Amino acid sequence: MNSLERQKEVLAAASALRWEVGPNLHDSLMEALYTDAARISDRVLTRDDQQPSFDLDRTIDRLVTSRWLGFPLMAMLMAIVLWLTISGANLPSKLLSNFFLEILYPFLKQSSNAIGLIWWLDGVLIDGMFLAMAWVVSVMLPPMAIFFPLFTLLEDFGYLPRVAFNMDRWFKKAGAHGKQALTMAMGYGCNAAGIVATRVIDSPRERLIATVTNNFSLCNGRWPTQILIATIFIGSLVTPPLAGLVSAIAVMGVVILGVACTFLVSWGLSGTLLKGEASAFSLELPPYRPPRIWQTIYTSLIDRTLIVLWRAVVFAVPAGATIWLVSNLYIGELSLAEHAIQGLNPFGLLIGLNGVILFAYIIAIPANEIVIPTIMMLTVLSAGLLGVGEGTGVMFEFNSAAATAMVLQAGGWTLLTGINLMLFSLLHNPCSTTLYTIWKETRSVKWTALSALLPVGMGFLVCFAVAQVFHWFVGG
Amino acid sequence: MNRADLSSNCETCPAHHAANLKKLGVEMERYDYVVALAGNPNTGKSTVFNSLTGLRQHTGNWPGKTVTRAEGGFAYQGRNYKLVDLPGTYSLLSMSTDEEIARDFILFGQPDVTVIVVDATRLERNLNLVFQVLEITDRAVICLNLIDEAERHHLVIDDRSLARELGVPVVPAVARQGQGISLLIQMVAEVAIGELTCKPHRIQSESPVLKRAIQSLVEKLQVAFPGLPNARWVALHLLEGDPRMEEAVRSGELGNLFGRSALSQLEALPEVVS
């Protein structure tokens, strides 16, 4: 008798014996489990009779998951976190960039002159790589060091499951899984992490929906872009005391648009490519736990902030070298970068952006974090603003938003460009790490391609539409 | 270190064990015992994991954080332990991938000790999983976590009675503050070495008919899959008509599953993406 026959025999015996033991075996076993659990817990558990008349957990839950207050409270918490991040990150950002650009950069330049470094090596190493790294550290570190601990505190406290609870109804309507709210929330930290987190969703159909739509959560690489552009173009529309608040609200608007896109695309996918019913699941609302503040700050600094920062630096350094090279390699009269910018400009202007922005997004595919410095550098280059910036192909950061605004306006930027850049930063292809993660998790070229092309397509459409409306109202 | 080193009074004193713990992080070249961490979602498995290994596995107050395999190690009294953080599950009925990962590991990976982390504020519901794990393995330790939360909700749990009822050691703990962790380590070590033998609670209601049916199926299973651990458990689930078990028998996968050592079971778990 071979092993296959023996296996068959086991199954045959099992189904024969199943008749003998009766059809309710599973139920009676489960019942026995529950009876024993109840018996034992009755025996070992004593309840203090003095139940407090006021239950704090219940009261908080009633507020944060209420039909009327749930969403406004969620938006308010988000706005507070953003506002703290925007207004708190300013000063340390300035200090860091002062240190890197006004102390360290001249020092490095002098040293390289002193040892007689070849001009192109000096350019690639210091003007390209070092400045890219300096920019990423000074612009990303402070907001991340504020945003991540705040987010982790909320997570530690137990707020995330309540968010999932509030959003469940909407996800169900969109034909998606309620746990997608959790993966979405993870995406606000990092889309690649959010995509790994979709493993909590059992149904492959709903997991794919969550994977494709995760990009609509602004990741930490895009927060600085949103915050900076909102400060320059939207915050400046009002008087200074209100500027911080108005900028925070503008960023909130982009976040809410992202959530709307998540629902819309989920709904669209579950009606077309990924047809099916939303599956049921049970979500436990865990008790609130007082967060351990110092421990949370420490671990979120170590685990999230520094790891994410390191990744950004790793990607920014070669990108810095690339930028320097494309701006210093000439074909005919123009550098490679200028050729590309001029080629992309007509299409860019059509959708209310410009060639610089589109080219910056191509260079910055490895990491969203370096979009803004790339844009700044390319703007200076193409607008020929002599006397501003450090030189051809040098990435730099201005110490104040006002100086940045000056350069951008000289480069032909308008309010429309700012708004559309914020929109395009939300709606464009995920970074290469995220794409690689999608491929690794789904093992499907098709879904990876869709995850990349769908948001870019949406970005082009939305920017085009906004540009048309803007021109219609404002003229020009 | 060998056994002789333990002879000094200080070393054998239970109060000494915190100093004996060496957190090894992920640096686990060789190990003497494999310890699995099981439990319902959001009971603090990852927190227990972190305090034992010194790693900083992401923790947070929401169910379903641990989706990736997490392993780490610690050394205690000269022995190396490999610790595996399993995904949190409400049962081992393999309704989903994470339940299947957890079940296959406990069932076929045969960890030397399974630590079941239990939420003290949700004792009755958590006991369901405890029973299901105890059906599979004899060597388990209960970590009765979040007793501070239980106190806040005016719940008092008699951990000694619970240990008596379940037949395995019960360690009350507040993992977030590190309370109870050293006792937990000691219990894990005692169960692993075999100083402490458990007599776990088993479901009582077994009719004579069922007993006979299980018996005859176990014999058949042992012919088809010589050396199969937990044949009784597999037999019971075949009788229940568990489709996953039937499939494992039909395809012969059952043989592959238990044929692997605990270590290669680990490799079958999803990889961490970093």
Side-chain angles (χ1 to χ4, degrees):
Chain A
M1 193 158 60
N2 65 27
S3 63
L4 205 68
E5 281 166 25
R6 287 200 202 101
Q7 287 160 16
K8 272 193 188 143
E9 199 179 325
V10 169
L11 288 176
S15 55
L17 288 166
R18 208 171 296 146
W19 286 106
E20 276 179 40
V21 296
N24 296 326
L25 177 62
H26 179 75
D27 292 349
S28 64
L29 284 175
M30 290 319 285
E31 213 176 291
L33 277 182
Y34 282 97
T35 322
D36 278 19
R39 185 179 56 80
I40 293 182
S41 92
D42 265 358
R43 202 169 293 175
V44 303
L45 193 74
T46 38
R47 233 169 243 283
D48 199 331
D49 279 339
Q50 289 169 324
Q51 276 286 338
S53 55
F54 174 75
D55 188 332
L56 187 64
D57 276 29
R58 283 269 167 83
T59 317
I60 298 178
D61 264 346
R62 235 173 254 143
L63 282 176
V64 299
T65 62
S66 107
R67 252 166 201 253
W68 307 110
L69 282 173
F71 278 93
L73 273 175
M74 236 155 66
M76 219 173 75
L77 267 175
M78 189 70 151
I80 291 174
V81 167
L82 283 174
W83 179 74
L84 284 175
T85 309
I86 291 176
S87 50
N90 247 334
L91 182 70
S93 255
K94 225 175 260 178
L95 292 176
L96 280 170
S97 79
N98 264 341
F99 168 72
F100 279 120
L101 298 181
E102 264 144 54
I103 300 172
L104 212 54
Y105 177 72
F107 171 76
L108 284 175
K109 273 296 197 189
Q110 276 164 17
S111 319
S112 103
N113 272 342
I115 60 167
L117 208 62
I118 320 162
W119 70 274
W120 58 265
L121 201 59
D122 168 89
V124 168
L125 287 179
I126 299 172
D127 294 333
M129 291 179 166
F130 168 76
L131 282 181
M133 189 275 300
W135 197 90
V136 165
V137 172
S138 61
V139 167
M140 285 189 60
L141 182 60
M144 282 196 321
I146 300 174
F147 184 78
F148 283 157
L150 287 176
F151 192 82
T152 315
L153 282 176
L154 280 179
E155 193 183 342
D156 217 30
F157 176 60
Y159 186 65
L160 286 195
R162 274 79 188 179
V163 172
F165 182 86
N166 282 341
M167 293 207 159
D168 179 52
R169 253 182 325 142
W170 293 89
F171 278 114
K172 198 180 163 196
K173 274 186 193 152
H177 199 286
K179 280 189 196 167
Q180 199 177 320
L182 294 174
T183 65
M184 201 173 92
M186 292 300 283
Y188 286 118
C190 169
N191 292 138
I195 280 153
V196 177
T198 61
R199 290 178 183 175
V200 295
I201 298 171
D202 302 323
S203 133
R205 182 188 78 85
E206 289 160 343
R207 194 176 157 192
L208 272 175
I209 294 178
T211 304
V212 173
T213 55
N214 195 271
N215 187 43
F216 298 125
S217 298
L218 281 180
C219 69
N220 70 75
R222 294 183 276 171
W223 288 112
T225 310
Q226 295 289 343
I227 290 168
L228 187 71
I229 298 297
T231 313
I232 292 175
F233 286 97
I234 294 165
S236 64
L237 294 177
V238 294
T239 49
L242 282 174
L245 190 66
V246 169
S247 318
I249 289 171
V251 178
M252 267 306 294
V254 175
V255 172
I256 290 171
L257 181 70
V259 175
C261 286
T262 304
F263 286 127
L264 196 75
V265 172
S266 302
W267 177 76
L269 283 174
S270 74
T272 53
L273 290 174
L274 294 165
K275 268 204 177 85
E277 290 294 309
S279 58
F281 75 106
S282 58
L283 177 80
E284 201 177 332
L285 292 184
Y288 292 103
R289 287 170 199 159
R292 295 153 302 167
I293 295 183
W294 290 112
Q295 202 162 339
T296 302
I297 291 174
Y298 173 78
T299 49
S300 77
L301 274 180
I302 299 291
D303 287 358
R304 285 191 170 168
T305 313
L306 289 185
I307 286 177
V308 170
L309 188 73
W310 175 241
R311 193 185 85 83
V313 169
V314 165
F315 278 107
V317 165
T322 312
I323 293 169
W324 190 86
L325 284 172
V326 294
S327 339
N328 285 281
L329 289 177
Y330 283 83
I331 300 177
E333 289 287 294
L334 297 173
S335 68
L336 274 180
E338 282 164 305
H339 278 294
I341 290 167
Q342 285 187 359
L344 290 166
N345 219 18
F347 179 66
L349 289 174
L350 180 72
I351 60 172
L353 295 169
N354 56 40
V356 168
I357 296 177
L358 292 180
F359 187 52
Y361 269 98
I362 294 172
I363 292 185
I365 281 177
N368 285 303
E369 291 82 353
I370 53 174
V371 164
I372 285 287
T374 312
I375 287 176
M376 295 298 296
M377 192 280 300
L378 294 172
T379 301
V380 173
L381 178 75
S382 66
L385 296 171
L386 293 174
V388 185
E390 315 283 340
T392 310
V394 177
M395 255 210 246
F396 56 88
E397 156 71 344
F398 290 93
N399 291 347
S400 68
T404 314
M406 192 195 79
V407 170
L408 291 179
Q409 271 143 17
W413 286 50
T414 60
L415 177 62
L416 172 68
T417 325
I419 293 174
N420 271 0
L421 176 57
M422 285 176 77
L423 293 172
F424 194 67
S425 153
L426 173 73
L427 300 169
H428 71 88
N429 56 289
C431 70
S432 57
T433 313
T434 305
L435 285 174
Y436 176 64
T437 310
I438 295 176
W439 180 78
K440 223 171 146 186
E441 294 286 312
T442 61
R443 295 275 157 197
S444 151
V445 176
K446 186 181 116 189
W447 288 109
T448 313
L450 182 79
S451 311
L453 297 177
L454 185 76
V456 189
M458 285 172 69
F460 286 155
L461 277 179
V462 168
C463 287
F464 178 73
V466 170
Q468 297 314 305
V469 172
F470 190 86
H471 289 319
W472 196 59
F473 274 108
V474 183
Chain B
M1 217 200 280
N2 55 40
R3 205 92 180 96
D5 290 324
L6 300 176
S7 56
S8 85
N9 282 340
C10 203
E11 291 273 86
T12 50
C13 167
H16 185 68
H17 43 243
N20 263 334
L21 172 71
K22 230 191 275 160
K23 295 169 178 178
L24 293 178
V26 285
E27 271 123 59
M28 288 296 297
E29 292 266 305
R30 76 192 165 78
Y31 52 89
D32 305 305
Y33 299 106
V34 174
V35 180
L37 264 179
N40 281 22
N42 211 31
T43 52
K45 284 177 300 301
S46 299
T47 313
V48 171
F49 178 86
N50 288 349
S51 51
L52 285 176
T53 58
L55 290 172
R56 288 184 306 268
Q57 182 72 12
H58 181 64
T59 60
N61 190 5
W62 54 284
K65 286 165 304 298
T66 308
V67 283
T68 50
R69 134 170 65 131
E71 37 180 295
F74 64 93
Y76 175 65
Q77 293 184 336
R79 288 181 181 80
N80 285 345
Y81 295 81
K82 188 180 196 97
L83 193 62
V84 181
D85 191 8
L86 296 174
T89 56
Y90 292 105
S91 80
L92 294 179
L93 301 173
S94 88
M95 305 293 283
S96 61
T97 336
D98 41 356
E99 284 188 9
E100 210 170 293
I101 290 170
R103 185 182 80 174
D104 285 353
F105 188 76
I106 300 172
L107 192 55
F108 302 117
Q110 292 187 293
D112 296 290
V113 185
T114 304
V115 174
I116 314 166
V117 184
V118 164
D119 179 350
T121 62
R122 308 268 193 277
L123 181 64
E124 184 174 338
R125 201 190 44 208
N126 277 232
L127 281 178
N128 259 311
L129 178 76
V130 172
F131 292 147
Q132 291 181 38
V133 174
L134 293 185
E135 286 290 314
I136 297 177
T137 177
D138 283 345
R139 286 165 305 184
V141 176
I142 309 285
C143 172
L144 187 62
N145 196 18
L146 301 170
I147 48 166
D148 56 336
E149 284 295 318
E151 267 165 37
R152 198 161 74 80
H153 288 94
H154 304 273
L155 299 170
V156 183
I157 296 174
D158 180 357
D159 54 287
R160 285 168 179 243
S161 306
L162 185 61
R164 212 165 34 240
E165 291 282 348
L166 296 175
V168 293
V170 171
V171 181
V174 186
R176 272 156 54 101
Q177 322 286 353
Q179 273 177 43
I181 296 298
S182 44
L183 187 60
L184 180 68
I185 295 167
Q186 198 198 340
M187 288 299 157
V188 167
E190 283 180 19
V191 173
I193 297 163
E195 279 176 6
L196 211 133
T197 337
C198 308
K199 289 202 177 61
H201 169 95
R202 292 277 149 89
I203 300 296
Q204 306 300 322
S205 54
E206 233 172 57
S207 64
V209 183
L210 180 58
K211 228 171 233 166
R212 255 191 327 239
I214 291 176
Q215 188 58 37
S216 91
L217 206 51
V218 164
E219 281 161 17
K220 292 237 165 30
L221 274 168
Q222 272 161 350
V223 174
F225 303 97
L228 177 72
N230 291 309
R232 204 194 94 90
W233 192 93
V234 176
L236 191 62
H237 278 249
L238 282 174
L239 286 174
E240 277 188 60
D242 178 344
R244 171 78 179 84
M245 272 301 129
E246 283 178 352
E247 186 49 42
V249 172
R250 186 174 299 119
S251 63
E253 190 194 344
L254 193 59
N256 298 333
L257 280 174
F258 79 82
R260 292 194 210 127
S261 63
L263 182 65
S264 56
Q265 282 286 338
L266 282 181
E267 265 127 41
L269 297 182
E271 261 176 87
V272 179
V273 178
S274 52

PDB file of all heavy atoms in Angstrom, chain B residues 9 14 32 60 67-70 78 88 90 98 114 120 133 136 214 224 228 240 268:
ATOM      1  N   ASN B   9      24.187  29.167  45.637  1.00  0.00           N
ATOM      2  CA  ASN B   9      22.877  29.559  46.167  1.00  0.00           C
ATOM      3  C   ASN B   9      22.314  30.756  45.437  1.00  0.00           C
ATOM      4  O   ASN B   9      21.118  30.849  45.178  1.00  0.00           O
ATOM      5  CB  ASN B   9      23.011  29.896  47.651  1.00  0.00           C
ATOM      6  CG  ASN B   9      23.069  28.632  48.480  1.00  0.00           C
ATOM      7  OD1 ASN B   9      22.640  27.578  47.995  1.00  0.00           O
ATOM      8  ND2 ASN B   9      23.616  28.719  49.673  1.00  0.00           N
ATOM      9  N   PRO B  14      15.473  32.313  43.170  1.00  0.00           N
ATOM     10  CA  PRO B  14      14.578  32.861  42.150  1.00  0.00           C
ATOM     11  C   PRO B  14      14.680  34.374  42.028  1.00  0.00           C
ATOM     12  O   PRO B  14      14.412  34.939  40.975  1.00  0.00           O
ATOM     13  CB  PRO B  14      13.187  32.462  42.636  1.00  0.00           C
ATOM     14  CG  PRO B  14      13.410  31.389  43.645  1.00  0.00           C
ATOM     15  CD  PRO B  14      14.768  31.589  44.216  1.00  0.00           C
ATOM     16  N   ASP B  32      18.783  26.579  22.539  1.00  0.00           N
ATOM     17  CA  ASP B  32      18.461  25.291  23.147  1.00  0.00           C
ATOM     18  C   ASP B  32      16.966  25.023  23.111  1.00  0.00           C
ATOM     19  O   ASP B  32      16.535  23.899  22.992  1.00  0.00           O
ATOM     20  CB  ASP B  32      18.958  25.290  24.596  1.00  0.00           C
ATOM     21  CG  ASP B  32      20.442  25.630  24.679  1.00  0.00           C
ATOM     22  OD1 ASP B  32      21.215  24.936  24.005  1.00  0.00           O
ATOM     23  OD2 ASP B  32      20.817  26.589  25.375  1.00  0.00           O
ATOM     24  N   GLY B  60       1.373  48.907  19.758  1.00  0.00           N
ATOM     25  CA  GLY B  60       0.380  49.970  19.738  1.00  0.00           C
ATOM     26  C   GLY B  60      -0.925  49.376  20.199  1.00  0.00           C
ATOM     27  O   GLY B  60      -1.099  48.156  20.187  1.00  0.00           O
ATOM     28  N   VAL B  67       1.891  41.466  11.854  1.00  0.00           N
ATOM     29  CA  VAL B  67       1.516  40.703  10.675  1.00  0.00           C
ATOM     30  C   VAL B  67       2.730  39.983  10.118  1.00  0.00           C
ATOM     31  O   VAL B  67       2.626  39.137   9.272  1.00  0.00           O
ATOM     32  CB  VAL B  67       0.907  41.590   9.582  1.00  0.00           C
ATOM     33  CG1 VAL B  67      -0.519  41.930   9.932  1.00  0.00           C
ATOM     34  CG2 VAL B  67       1.705  42.828   9.374  1.00  0.00           C
ATOM     35  N   THR B  68       3.882  40.372  10.617  1.00  0.00           N
ATOM     36  CA  THR B  68       5.087  39.751  10.109  1.00  0.00           C
ATOM     37  C   THR B  68       5.654  38.847  11.187  1.00  0.00           C
ATOM     38  O   THR B  68       5.356  38.999  12.348  1.00  0.00           O
ATOM     39  CB  THR B  68       6.125  40.816   9.762  1.00  0.00           C
ATOM     40  OG1 THR B  68       6.235  41.685  10.873  1.00  0.00           O
ATOM     41  CG2 THR B  68       5.714  41.588   8.550  1.00  0.00           C
ATOM     42  N   ARG B  69       6.469  37.922  10.752  1.00  0.00           N
ATOM     43  CA  ARG B  69       7.127  37.061  11.722  1.00  0.00           C
ATOM     44  C   ARG B  69       8.084  37.900  12.535  1.00  0.00           C
ATOM     45  O   ARG B  69       8.788  38.749  12.015  1.00  0.00           O
ATOM     46  CB  ARG B  69       7.877  35.978  10.977  1.00  0.00           C
ATOM     47  CG  ARG B  69       9.298  35.767  11.502  1.00  0.00           C
ATOM     48  CD  ARG B  69       9.947  34.556  10.937  1.00  0.00           C
ATOM     49  NE  ARG B  69      10.154  34.646   9.506  1.00  0.00           N
ATOM     50  CZ  ARG B  69      11.337  34.360   8.920  1.00  0.00           C
ATOM     51  NH1 ARG B  69      12.355  34.028   9.642  1.00  0.00           N
ATOM     52  NH2 ARG B  69      11.450  34.413   7.627  1.00  0.00           N
ATOM     53  N   ALA B  70       8.089  37.657  13.840  1.00  0.00           N
ATOM     54  CA  ALA B  70       9.067  38.349  14.655  1.00  0.00           C
ATOM     55  C   ALA B  70       9.757  37.306  15.499  1.00  0.00           C
ATOM     56  O   ALA B  70       9.097  36.512  16.161  1.00  0.00           O
ATOM     57  CB  ALA B  70       8.388  39.390  15.526  1.00  0.00           C
ATOM     58  N   GLY B  78      22.246  30.389  31.384  1.00  0.00           N
ATOM     59  CA  GLY B  78      23.159  29.653  30.521  1.00  0.00           C
ATOM     60  C   GLY B  78      22.499  28.927  29.369  1.00  0.00           C
ATOM     61  O   GLY B  78      23.162  28.219  28.624  1.00  0.00           O
ATOM     62  N   GLY B  88      -1.669  37.579  16.619  1.00  0.00           N
ATOM     63  CA  GLY B  88      -2.748  37.398  17.576  1.00  0.00           C
ATOM     64  C   GLY B  88      -3.983  36.789  16.924  1.00  0.00           C
ATOM     65  O   GLY B  88      -4.360  37.183  15.829  1.00  0.00           O
ATOM     66  N   TYR B  90      -8.034  34.853  17.743  1.00  0.00           N
ATOM     67  CA  TYR B  90      -9.077  34.536  18.714  1.00  0.00           C
ATOM     68  C   TYR B  90      -9.242  33.033  18.867  1.00  0.00           C
ATOM     69  O   TYR B  90      -9.766  32.551  19.850  1.00  0.00           O
ATOM     70  CB  TYR B  90     -10.406  35.163  18.299  1.00  0.00           C
ATOM     71  CG  TYR B  90     -10.384  36.667  18.388  1.00  0.00           C
ATOM     72  CD1 TYR B  90     -10.289  37.452  17.253  1.00  0.00           C
ATOM     73  CD2 TYR B  90     -10.436  37.294  19.626  1.00  0.00           C
ATOM     74  CE1 TYR B  90     -10.238  38.829  17.334  1.00  0.00           C
ATOM     75  CE2 TYR B  90     -10.390  38.673  19.728  1.00  0.00           C
ATOM     76  CZ  TYR B  90     -10.289  39.439  18.572  1.00  0.00           C
ATOM     77  OH  TYR B  90     -10.227  40.796  18.667  1.00  0.00           O
ATOM     78  N   ASP B  98      -3.542  34.319   9.403  1.00  0.00           N
ATOM     79  CA  ASP B  98      -2.795  34.478  10.649  1.00  0.00           C
ATOM     80  C   ASP B  98      -3.119  33.361  11.640  1.00  0.00           C
ATOM     81  O   ASP B  98      -2.259  32.887  12.360  1.00  0.00           O
ATOM     82  CB  ASP B  98      -2.985  35.875  11.271  1.00  0.00           C
ATOM     83  CG  ASP B  98      -4.402  36.372  11.181  1.00  0.00           C
ATOM     84  OD1 ASP B  98      -5.223  35.669  10.572  1.00  0.00           O
ATOM     85  OD2 ASP B  98      -4.678  37.447  11.718  1.00  0.00           O
ATOM     86  N   THR B 114       4.972  27.112  25.044  1.00  0.00           N
ATOM     87  CA  THR B 114       4.113  28.123  24.439  1.00  0.00           C
ATOM     88  C   THR B 114       3.639  29.057  25.546  1.00  0.00           C
ATOM     89  O   THR B 114       3.037  28.601  26.520  1.00  0.00           O
ATOM     90  CB  THR B 114       2.903  27.484  23.754  1.00  0.00           C
ATOM     91  OG1 THR B 114       3.372  26.530  22.812  1.00  0.00           O
ATOM     92  CG2 THR B 114       2.067  28.532  23.045  1.00  0.00           C
ATOM     93  N   ALA B 120      -6.258  40.153  31.100  1.00  0.00           N
ATOM     94  CA  ALA B 120      -6.964  39.903  32.356  1.00  0.00           C
ATOM     95  C   ALA B 120      -8.348  40.540  32.371  1.00  0.00           C
ATOM     96  O   ALA B 120      -9.238  40.072  33.074  1.00  0.00           O
ATOM     97  CB  ALA B 120      -6.133  40.422  33.527  1.00  0.00           C
ATOM     98  N   VAL B 133      -5.128  25.955  22.700  1.00  0.00           N
ATOM     99  CA  VAL B 133      -3.681  25.707  22.706  1.00  0.00           C
ATOM    100  C   VAL B 133      -3.369  24.521  23.611  1.00  0.00           C
ATOM    101  O   VAL B 133      -2.560  23.656  23.272  1.00  0.00           O
ATOM    102  CB  VAL B 133      -2.912  26.964  23.167  1.00  0.00           C
ATOM    103  CG1 VAL B 133      -1.426  26.661  23.304  1.00  0.00           C
ATOM    104  CG2 VAL B 133      -3.114  28.101  22.185  1.00  0.00           C
ATOM    105  N   ILE B 136      -3.484  21.157  22.262  1.00  0.00           N
ATOM    106  CA  ILE B 136      -2.375  20.765  21.395  1.00  0.00           C
ATOM    107  C   ILE B 136      -1.122  20.446  22.183  1.00  0.00           C
ATOM    108  O   ILE B 136      -0.445  19.469  21.925  1.00  0.00           O
ATOM    109  CB  ILE B 136      -2.070  21.894  20.374  1.00  0.00           C
ATOM    110  CG1 ILE B 136      -3.270  22.127  19.460  1.00  0.00           C
ATOM    111  CG2 ILE B 136      -0.852  21.534  19.544  1.00  0.00           C
ATOM    112  CD1 ILE B 136      -3.078  23.258  18.489  1.00  0.00           C
ATOM    113  N   ILE B 214     -11.916   8.395  17.938  1.00  0.00           N
ATOM    114  CA  ILE B 214     -10.603   9.049  17.939  1.00  0.00           C
ATOM    115  C   ILE B 214      -9.503   8.005  17.934  1.00  0.00           C
ATOM    116  O   ILE B 214      -8.556   8.072  17.142  1.00  0.00           O
ATOM    117  CB  ILE B 214     -10.461   9.977  19.170  1.00  0.00           C
ATOM    118  CG1 ILE B 214     -11.400  11.177  19.034  1.00  0.00           C
ATOM    119  CG2 ILE B 214      -9.026  10.459  19.318  1.00  0.00           C
ATOM    120  CD1 ILE B 214     -11.410  12.085  20.223  1.00  0.00           C
ATOM    121  N   ALA B 224      -0.336   6.137   8.277  1.00  0.00           N
ATOM    122  CA  ALA B 224      -0.129   6.977   7.087  1.00  0.00           C
ATOM    123  C   ALA B 224       0.996   7.986   7.285  1.00  0.00           C
ATOM    124  O   ALA B 224       1.738   8.289   6.355  1.00  0.00           O
ATOM    125  CB  ALA B 224      -1.425   7.695   6.727  1.00  0.00           C
ATOM    126  N   LEU B 228       3.747  11.180  13.527  1.00  0.00           N
ATOM    127  CA  LEU B 228       2.965  12.432  13.549  1.00  0.00           C
ATOM    128  C   LEU B 228       2.718  12.887  14.983  1.00  0.00           C
ATOM    129  O   LEU B 228       2.159  12.148  15.784  1.00  0.00           O
ATOM    130  CB  LEU B 228       1.615  12.196  12.857  1.00  0.00           C
ATOM    131  CG  LEU B 228       0.639  13.359  12.839  1.00  0.00           C
ATOM    132  CD1 LEU B 228       1.103  14.436  11.889  1.00  0.00           C
ATOM    133  CD2 LEU B 228      -0.755  12.891  12.441  1.00  0.00           C
ATOM    134  N   GLU B 240     -14.384  16.376  13.054  1.00  0.00           N
ATOM    135  CA  GLU B 240     -15.217  17.583  12.986  1.00  0.00           C
ATOM    136  C   GLU B 240     -15.474  18.004  11.550  1.00  0.00           C
ATOM    137  O   GLU B 240     -16.341  18.823  11.288  1.00  0.00           O
ATOM    138  CB  GLU B 240     -14.501  18.753  13.672  1.00  0.00           C
ATOM    139  CG  GLU B 240     -14.651  18.817  15.147  1.00  0.00           C
ATOM    140  CD  GLU B 240     -14.057  20.114  15.649  1.00  0.00           C
ATOM    141  OE1 GLU B 240     -14.526  21.185  15.223  1.00  0.00           O
ATOM    142  OE2 GLU B 240     -13.108  20.054  16.442  1.00  0.00           O
ATOM    143  N   ALA B 268       8.718  29.083   7.070  1.00  0.00           N
ATOM    144  CA  ALA B 268       7.473  29.062   6.301  1.00  0.00           C
ATOM    145  C   ALA B 268       6.612  30.270   6.622  1.00  0.00           C
ATOM    146  O   ALA B 268       5.686  30.592   5.892  1.00  0.00           O
ATOM    147  CB  ALA B 268       6.707  27.781   6.601  1.00  0.00           C
TER     148      ALA B 268
END
